[in-house]
Amino acid sequence: MPVTRLVEAAWEDEPPATASHQIRKAVADLRQRIPGGSDLIATDGPGYRAVLEDGQLDLSAFLLHTQRAREALAAGRAADAEAELRAALALWRGPVLSGAGGPVVESASTALEERRLTAAEQLFQLRLEHGESSELVGDLRELVAAHPLRENLRGHLMLALYRSGRQAEALEEFGRVRELLVEELGVDPGPRLGRLYEDILRDSPELAAPAPPAPAPAPADPAAARGAAASEAAAREAAGPAPGAAPCTLPYDLADFTGRDRELADLLAAAGDGDEAGTRIVAVDGMGGTGKTSLAVRAAHRLAERFPDGQLHVDLRGYTPGEQPLRPGTVIAGLLRTLGVPGERIPEDPAGRAALWRATLVGRRLLLLFDNASDAAQVRPLLPASPGCLVLVTSRARLVELDGAEWISIGVMSPADSLALITETLGAERTEREPEAARALAALCGHLPLALRIATARLRNRSRWTVRHLVDRLGDETRLLDELSSGERSVAATLRLSYQAMDEDHRTAFRLLGLHPGAEIDVHSAAALLAVHIREAEDLLEDLLDMHLVQQPELGYYAFHDLVRSFAQSLRNTETAADDTAAVERLLDYFYAATEAACGVLFPARSPYETGLTGSAATLPALGGADPATAWFDREAAALIAAVTAAEAGGFVRHAVWLARNLMFFLNMRTYTEQYLQVGKVAAAAARRLEDARALRLSLTNQVTALWKLGRFREGIAVAEEALELAHAQDERLGEGAGLEALGLLLSCLGEFTEAVRHQEEAVAVFRETGAVQAEIHVLCSLSTTYSCLGRGEEAALAAERAVDLARGIGILGDEVMVLNDLASAYLDLGRFAEAETCLKEAMALVEVSRRPDDFAMTRVLMAAVQQHFGLAEDARACEEEALELLRRRPTLARQTVVERRIGNLRLARGEHAQALEFYASALGRAAAAEYRMEEARALAGIARAAQALGDTARADGSRARAVGLFTAMGVPPGARFPL
C-alpha cells in the first residue's frame, strides 16, 4: 500500500504538509504495539505490506465463517449454519475503523458493518425458526436502537415480542418504524414488514413458534439407514422439484387505512364470488390523490384467499413522474417470469407474449391488480381469456373503451371519514385537543386523502406545531399547494401528472376554466370563456370529467375541487397573461349580456343607461320568460357576485359597474340584502376607479336601498347625500329624484317626518317630469306611509291609489303587490275595512311567495286585521301564522318590525296579553337598534297596554311615557299613534 494512498485515505483532498511523516510515524507505532509487528508490517518500496499467515486476520476468519454458514444452509444443516454465524459474530469487538478518516475509511467501515448486520439478521432468523423468542428481545432491541431504519431487524424484534406474548409491544414497534421512515425518508414500511404487522394484528396461526424437532430414531442397521436415505432421494428426484408457493406481489395493506366503507363494499361486491363464466374486471377511477391504489390493495388482500394460484400487482406507470407508461409486452414478460416461465421460453414479439400469457393462465385462479393504468389499450392485452381470474384496474381516467369492466368511481372523503383519517394518522390526543381546527384542516385539504396524509405527516414531523397553526398557514390560498407538500409527496405534483397527460387543447381549456370565478360552470359560460361553441365546450368539459379534473354536481354543470382549482390557477404566467385577460373579458361580456336579457324580462320598466360595453358573441341560454329568467338568476347568482368582485379586482371596472347594476335588481327581488350591499360597494369602488360620476351615483343609490333594508338608516343618509350631490353636479334629474327619494325614506324611518315629506314630494315631481313611472310608484308608497304617520290618512290613501294605478298601467307584478299592501294599510287607518279586504284579496291573487316573501307576509298580517274586525278570529290567527312563517325567509328589518308589531296589536285585541307583550318586545328591540323611531314608539305604546292588562303598572307607565315622548318629538298626532 503506497504511502500516498494511505495519505489520501486518511485526509482526502487537503492533507497537511506533514502527512507522509505522520503516516510513517503511525506505522512505527503500530509495529511497537502489535506483537511481532516488525515482521507483520513490512516496508515495500514507497509503502507498506501486511505479511499474514492463514487464520491470522479476523476479517478473513469472519468471511470464512459466513461462507460456511451459507453452504450449511444450502445443504439443509441449519444448526451448523447457526454455529458458523455465532463464530463469525464473536470475532467482532465493536465498530470497525471508528476513528477519524476520509471517505475511503468511511466507505470501508460501512461495508464491513453491513456484512456484520447481515450476518446478525441471518442468525436471528435461524434462532426464531428454531423456536427461540423471549431470549432474543434484549439483543434485538440493542441492535434496533443502533440501526432503527433496518426493517429486517425490526421485523425479527416484532416476531420475538409476539411469540413472547407481548403482542401490543410488537405492534408498537411497527408504529415506531413507520413514523420514523415517514419522517426521515418520506416512505412507508415495506410490504414484508406490513404483512407481518397484519398477521400480528389478527393473531395469525402462521406466526406461532415452530415445535422443537423430534429426535430421529437411530436405525438398527446402518446399512439399512443408508438404503432408506437413498430410496428417499431417488423418489424426490423422480417427482421433480416441489412446487413453489403461490406468488404474491401485492403491496402491503395500509395499517391505518381509514374510511371508504361504502366504496370497499361496492368493490368487493363487484368482484363477485369467483364462479363467473369469464374473467371479472373491476376498475376504480378517481382524481389523483383520492386513494384508488390503497382501496384496490385493501380489496385485493381481502379477496386473496379466493385465488390460490397467486395475487399479482403491476404498476403500469400511467402517471409516474419522468417515466413512460409500461408497454403491455413488457408487463406480460414480467408476469410470466413471476409465474415461473423461464426467460428463454418468452417470445420477443408482443403478440406471441400475449398468446403465451393467455395459455399460461388456463386453469389458474389468479387475482391481477393493474395499478395506475393510462388507457384501455394498455390494459386490454393483459386480460386473461379463461375463467376463474379477477382483474382489478386503477386509473385516473375512466377507461370507457375497456369493455366488460364494472366501474367504481371514488371522489373525496366524507367529512366524517376525513376526520377519522386525521385522528388515525395524527393521533387521537392531538385531534381531540383541537377538534375545530381538525375539522378546518379537513376542509382546507378538500377532504382529499393525499392532502390529509401530507398535512398530518407535516404535523407529526413538527411536534411544536398545533393543528391551528397549520390551518392558518393553509388559509393563505396563494401558498396552499406549496404547504401541501412533504418530501417527494405533493398534491401539485400529483395533479401535474394528470395535466401533462392531456393534449395542448385540453391543457389550455383546463387553465382557462380555472379563471371562472364561480363554484360551478355551465356550458354557456364555459363556451364564452374558451371562445368555442357550446357543444365543443361540453365535449371539453366531459373529457376533463373523464380525467377526474372536474366534477359534475348535476347535469350540465361542472365544478373544480378546491385544490384542482388552485392548481389550474397556478398555471398562469406572463406567457399566458394576454390569453387569460381576453378569456376573462369574454366571460364578463357574456355575463353582462345574459343579465341584460334576464333583467329585460323581469324588470322591463327599469331606466335605460348607456354603458359603453360591447355585446357578446357567446350563445345565451333561453331566458324568454319570467320563470326561466328567474331560474337562471337563482342558479348563477353566486357566480355573478364572484364575477363582479373579480372584475373590479382585475381592472374590468366598467363590467363591474354595469354587471353589478343588473345583478342588484335580482338581489333586491330575492331580498338577498347582505349580498346586495356587498355588490353595491364593489360597484361604487369600480365607478370611482372608472371616474364615471353617473355610474357612481347609480351605485351609491343602490347601496342606500340595501342599507335601508338592513336597518342601517343613518349610514344610508351619508351615502344618499353623496349620491344627490353627484346628481346635482351632473344636472341629472333622474338621479336627483332617486337621491331625494332615498333621503325621504331614511328620514321617515328616523322619525323626521317634515323633512321626509318635503324630499318625497319633490321626488314625485321629478319622476313625473322625467317619466320614470316605476320610480314614482316607489316614492308614492313611501310618501303614503309618511302621510299616515303624520295622521294625514286621506292623503296617504290618495298617494297609494295613484301608485296602484301606475303599477297596473305598466304591469309590474311585484310592485303591484307592494302598492296594494300600502293602499290596504291606508284604508285600515281610515276604518275602510271592506275596501282594504278587496285590495288584499287582489294582492293575494297576484303575489308569488318565492319571489317576495316579505310582501306576502305584510299581505297576510293586514288580512288578519281585516278578518279579526269581521269576527273571523280563527282565520285571522291562520293568517298571522302564515305571516310569521314567511318572516323566516330573509325579511327586511323594517318589514319584520312592522309585521311583529301588528301581530302584537291583534293578540292584544284578543286578550292574549302575554303573547302580545312578546311580539311588542321583539319589535321594540329591532326598532330601537336601528333608530326606527315610529315603530319604536308604537311598540312602546303596545307594551304599555299589554303590561297594564297583565298588572305590571310600573312597566306600563314607563313604556307609555317613553312612547309619548317619542310621538311628541316626531309631531305624530294622537290619532295616528296606535293604528291596527
Side-chain angles (χ1 to χ4, degrees):
M1 177 74 68
V3 171
T4 54
R5 183 74 179 95
L6 293 171
V7 169
E8 180 184 350
W11 286 286
E12 196 182 5
D13 294 332
E14 298 182 0
T18 60
S20 297
H21 174 70
Q22 291 187 48
I23 291 292
R24 291 187 177 94
K25 184 179 178 182
V27 170
D29 186 50
L30 280 174
R31 283 170 169 167
Q32 292 178 358
R33 288 173 176 269
I34 300 174
S38 298
D39 296 330
L40 186 63
I41 304 175
T43 302
D44 189 350
Y48 303 94
R49 177 168 51 87
V51 182
L52 299 170
E53 297 178 3
D54 291 342
Q56 194 172 5
L57 183 64
D58 54 2
L59 176 58
S60 298
F62 172 81
L63 294 176
L64 181 61
H65 284 304
T66 55
Q67 181 182 349
R68 289 174 177 172
R70 288 193 297 272
E71 292 171 353
L73 279 175
R77 294 181 285 107
D80 292 344
E82 183 178 333
E84 291 291 346
L85 288 171
R86 287 180 185 273
L89 291 169
L91 295 169
W92 289 76
R93 298 291 184 270
V96 177
L97 304 174
S98 59
V104 175
V105 174
E106 184 179 346
S107 176
S109 173
T110 301
L112 292 172
E113 179 68 6
E114 179 62 32
R115 290 183 178 185
R116 181 180 78 90
L117 290 172
T118 301
E121 289 172 346
Q122 290 174 346
L123 177 59
F124 282 120
Q125 176 72 37
L126 289 171
R127 294 176 69 184
L128 284 165
E129 289 175 359
H130 292 162
E132 294 185 65
S133 53
S134 59
E135 54 266 59
L136 304 180
V137 171
D139 291 340
L140 278 168
R141 282 202 187 279
E142 185 177 343
L143 269 180
V144 165
H147 305 278
L149 296 178
R150 290 189 75 92
E151 294 188 36
N152 283 343
L153 284 175
R154 189 80 67 161
H156 294 335
L157 176 57
M158 289 168 61
L159 186 55
L161 287 167
Y162 173 75
R163 288 179 176 176
S164 303
R166 298 153 72 178
Q167 182 185 28
E169 291 180 64
L171 296 173
E172 285 177 2
E173 286 299 326
F174 181 82
R176 291 191 186 100
V177 73
R178 178 182 62 188
E179 185 171 350
L180 189 63
L181 287 168
V182 169
E183 290 179 358
E184 296 291 331
L185 305 177
V187 299
D188 289 314
R192 184 183 301 173
L193 198 62
R195 283 195 294 272
L196 175 61
Y197 170 79
E198 285 292 321
D199 289 343
I200 293 174
L201 197 63
R202 64 171 181 261
D203 253 344
S204 172
E206 297 175 2
L207 298 183
D221 183 356
R226 286 195 296 272
S231 299
E232 184 180 345
R236 284 199 301 269
E237 184 177 355
C248 177
T249 62
L250 294 176
Y252 79 99
D253 189 10
L254 282 177
D256 57 7
F257 184 94
T258 305
R260 299 294 193 197
D261 293 340
R262 179 183 59 80
E263 293 90 342
L264 181 60
D266 290 345
L267 203 163
L268 295 174
D273 56 13
D275 294 330
E276 290 77 13
T279 290
R280 191 87 168 186
I281 307 169
V282 184
V284 180
D285 64 286
M287 69 177 282
T290 50
K292 301 178 294 297
T293 298
S294 299
L295 176 65
V297 167
R298 168 142 294 204
H301 280 283
R302 294 276 184 92
L303 297 165
E305 62 183 14
R306 300 187 194 174
F307 301 92
D309 296 321
Q311 308 89 37
L312 306 182
H313 166 269
V314 182
D315 182 353
L316 298 180
R317 313 288 176 84
Y319 300 89
T320 301
E323 297 190 37
Q324 293 297 316
L326 293 180
R327 297 176 181 273
T330 303
V331 175
I332 291 173
L335 289 168
L336 287 170
R337 289 190 181 93
T338 303
L339 291 178
V341 178
E344 61 271 15
R345 286 190 51 205
I346 299 174
E348 290 297 324
D349 62 297
R353 289 182 176 182
L356 178 59
W357 169 243
R358 289 192 293 271
T360 302
L361 295 186
V362 172
R364 300 199 191 202
R365 292 177 57 79
L366 285 171
L367 185 154
L368 303 169
L369 172 50
F370 298 133
D371 190 21
N372 199 12
S374 60
D375 53 34
Q378 186 187 28
V379 176
R380 202 176 292 115
L382 311 179
L383 301 176
S386 53
C389 293
L390 170 66
V391 176
L392 303 179
V393 182
T394 73
S395 178
R396 296 190 182 188
R398 170 162 285 196
L399 309 184
V400 293
E401 297 175 356
L402 194 61
D403 296 334
E406 183 161 350
W407 285 96
I408 296 174
S409 295
I410 65 171
V412 298
M413 302 183 84
S414 68
D417 280 355
S418 297
L419 191 59
L421 180 58
I422 291 174
T423 302
E424 179 67 28
T425 53
L426 186 58
E429 181 181 350
R430 293 181 73 178
T431 306
E432 291 169 1
R433 194 186 309 146
E434 299 179 84
E436 292 302 321
R439 281 189 283 271
L441 178 63
L444 284 167
C445 289
H447 304 291
L448 186 68
L450 173 62
L452 291 166
R453 286 187 176 274
I454 290 173
T456 53
R458 294 194 72 191
L459 285 169
R460 289 199 310 271
N461 201 32
R462 292 162 175 81
S463 58
R464 295 186 180 276
W465 280 20
T466 63
V467 181
R468 173 55 60 187
H469 176 72
L470 181 56
V471 166
D472 292 341
R473 291 174 68 97
L474 293 175
D476 182 355
E477 191 171 344
T478 61
R479 289 190 47 78
L480 179 60
L481 291 178
D482 293 334
E483 292 290 342
L484 291 175
S485 175
S486 178
E488 295 182 358
R489 295 196 299 178
S490 161
V491 172
T494 299
L495 295 174
R496 189 173 296 280
L497 295 174
S498 297
Y499 173 73
Q500 290 172 340
M502 297 187 291
D503 60 33
E504 193 60 35
D505 287 345
H506 285 79
R507 290 183 191 181
T508 300
F510 175 73
R511 188 192 78 244
L512 294 180
L513 289 168
L515 300 170
H516 194 290
E520 296 179 0
I521 307 171
D522 74 327
V523 292
H524 289 89
S525 59
L529 194 60
L530 303 177
V532 297
H533 188 271
I534 58 171
R535 189 69 67 185
E536 185 177 351
E538 185 175 24
D539 289 343
L540 286 166
L541 286 164
E542 286 292 322
D543 289 342
L544 293 176
L545 181 64
D546 287 340
M547 289 290 295
H548 292 280
L549 288 172
V550 297
Q551 303 161 344
Q552 190 170 50
E554 64 179 82
L555 187 64
Y557 287 88
Y558 304 82
F560 279 114
H561 183 279
D562 290 344
L563 296 177
V564 179
R565 178 188 294 279
S566 294
F567 174 72
Q569 292 173 346
S570 74
L571 298 171
R572 299 170 61 186
N573 54 50
T574 54
E575 294 180 2
T576 69
D579 289 344
D580 295 342
T581 299
V584 171
E585 187 167 13
R586 288 193 300 269
L587 179 64
L588 294 174
D589 284 340
Y590 159 76
F591 276 145
Y592 176 72
T595 55
E596 272 288 295
C599 285
V601 173
L602 296 173
F603 315 106
R606 65 196 182 118
S607 302
Y609 284 94
E610 176 58 45
T611 66
L613 294 174
T614 57
S616 172
T619 302
L620 300 183
L623 302 169
D627 288 340
T630 302
W632 181 83
F633 257 131
D634 280 330
R635 184 71 208 219
E636 297 294 328
L640 293 170
I641 292 171
V644 169
T645 303
E648 195 276 332
F652 296 96
V653 289
R654 189 176 300 277
H655 287 86
V657 169
W658 298 110
L659 178 58
R661 187 211 179 203
N662 288 346
L663 176 57
M664 283 189 282
F665 277 100
F666 167 78
L667 296 175
N668 184 39
M669 179 184 82
R670 282 288 193 229
T671 324
Y672 294 140
T673 314
E674 291 288 353
Q675 295 92 324
Y676 187 2
L677 179 61
Q678 171 194 342
V679 171
K681 287 183 175 181
V682 173
R688 293 186 197 279
R689 292 176 61 187
L690 189 60
E691 297 182 350
D692 186 331
R694 182 193 54 170
L696 177 57
R697 193 277 309 162
L698 183 63
S699 300
L700 292 172
T701 302
N702 283 323
Q703 208 173 315
V704 170
T705 303
L707 290 168
W708 171 78
K709 286 176 175 287
L710 291 168
R712 293 157 63 174
F713 305 137
R714 292 208 179 275
E715 188 178 343
I717 292 282
V719 179
E721 287 175 342
E722 183 183 0
L724 185 56
E725 289 174 7
L726 286 167
H728 282 317
Q730 297 294 315
D731 195 23
E732 185 195 357
R733 290 292 287 161
L734 188 60
E736 291 177 12
L740 290 166
E741 177 195 4
L743 281 171
L745 177 62
L746 294 167
L747 290 167
S748 180
C749 292
L750 292 169
E752 300 177 27
F753 296 124
T754 302
E755 281 297 299
V757 167
R758 182 172 66 80
H759 285 86
Q760 289 167 336
E761 289 178 342
E762 188 175 347
V764 169
V766 172
F767 291 144
R768 197 164 296 171
E769 169 196 328
T770 56
V773 178
Q774 191 169 21
E776 183 181 353
I777 292 170
H778 290 171
V779 74
L780 282 169
C781 287
S782 58
L783 178 60
S784 173
T785 300
T786 307
Y787 281 152
S788 293
C789 291
L790 291 172
R792 296 160 62 174
E794 293 295 341
E795 293 173 85
L798 288 172
E801 286 168 352
R802 166 73 176 165
V804 168
D805 291 341
L806 291 174
R808 287 172 175 165
I810 60 174
I812 303 297
L813 176 65
D815 286 346
E816 194 168 349
V817 172
M818 176 185 67
V819 297
L820 285 167
N821 281 344
D822 285 329
L823 181 56
S825 179
Y827 284 158
L828 285 176
D829 289 347
L830 294 171
R832 295 157 63 174
F833 291 96
E835 293 169 274
E837 183 179 27
T838 300
C839 291
L840 294 170
K841 285 182 177 178
E842 186 177 351
M844 290 171 67
L846 291 169
V847 77
E848 183 183 340
V849 180
S850 63
R851 292 187 187 172
R852 293 287 181 89
D854 56 342
D855 280 343
F856 193 36
M858 180 60 73
T859 303
R860 301 307 289 172
V861 79
L862 292 172
M863 181 60 84
V866 171
Q867 290 168 334
Q868 186 151 303
H869 172 77
F870 288 132
L872 305 173
E874 289 306 314
D875 291 342
R877 189 182 297 278
C879 281
E880 291 172 27
E881 294 302 326
E882 289 181 34
L884 288 172
E885 178 61 31
L886 289 163
L887 283 181
R888 299 186 178 96
R889 306 184 189 180
R890 304 181 304 275
T892 63
L893 178 137
R895 188 73 80 207
Q896 184 165 9
T897 303
V898 172
V899 169
E900 286 185 341
R901 191 260 306 163
R902 284 184 177 275
I903 292 176
N905 292 350
L906 295 170
R907 299 288 168 94
L908 182 66
R910 291 199 296 268
E912 299 167 4
H913 304 119
Q915 293 182 27
L917 191 60
E918 290 180 9
F919 281 104
Y920 286 136
S922 179
L924 175 62
R926 290 188 174 82
E931 298 183 75
Y932 194 1
R933 294 303 184 215
M934 189 64 171
E935 286 304 315
E936 182 182 358
R938 286 174 168 171
L940 284 166
I943 288 173
R945 296 189 180 191
Q948 189 72 49
L950 291 169
D952 190 345
T953 306
R955 185 177 184 183
D957 291 344
S959 298
R960 187 179 300 107
R962 288 172 61 195
V964 170
L966 286 169
F967 284 134
T968 302
M970 292 183 289
V972 178
R977 295 181 178 182
F978 199 77
L980 288 173

